Amino acid sequence: MRHPFIEDQWKQLCDRVNQSAEHLAGDQDDVASAWAQQVDQFAQQDPPGSYPDLLRRVAQAADLVSTWRDDQTLVAGTQESATDRPATSDPVESEDWVTEAGMESFPASDPPSWTSAAV
């Protein structure tokens, strides 16, 4: 079953990843070319079939863009370039981030008020 919302969000995510690559690469043609290949590889995946799958892809996209951003801040020659690393993300690790964020935000609201009066 196709989910129009999920498909629309997937297309928007792929567009955002592409825009991020272009923005971060700036006028560095060699970097832009390498990142464009990674964007193509990311966008050519089968579209997610469910909302949890979409969220995993969002985590992968964030990981990929974060790698590019970190690559821009590296001092030349100190570490391996992000364009030399694979563009994959471990979905299990991404789920751990989601679980950890959920645990840290508990309780999400104020506790119920306490009163000594009986109802």
Side-chain angles (χ1 to χ4, degrees), residues 45-56:
Q45 298 179 74
D46 290 333
S50 65
Y51 194 70
D53 290 340
L54 176 64
L55 293 178
R56 281 190 272 286

Side-chain angles (χ1 to χ4, degrees), residues 30-78:
D30 57 333
V31 171
S33 175
W35 290 353
Q37 290 176 353
Q38 291 179 358
V39 170
D40 289 342
Q41 181 183 5
F42 179 80
Q44 288 175 0
Q45 298 179 74
D46 290 333
S50 65
Y51 194 70
D53 290 340
L54 176 64
L55 293 178
R56 281 190 272 286
R57 300 288 178 82
V58 169
Q60 288 177 340
D63 222 15
L64 183 60
V65 174
S66 178
T67 301
W68 295 335
R69 188 192 62 219
D70 292 346
D71 191 47
Q72 292 297 331
T73 61
L74 293 177
V75 177
T78 59

Side-chain angles (χ1 to χ4, degrees), residues 7 14-15 25-26 30 36 38 40 43 94-95 97-98 100 116-117:
E7 288 180 7
C14 292
D15 289 342
D30 57 333
Q38 291 179 358
D40 289 342
S94 298
E95 288 177 15
W97 293 347
V98 172
E100 181 179 344
S116 62

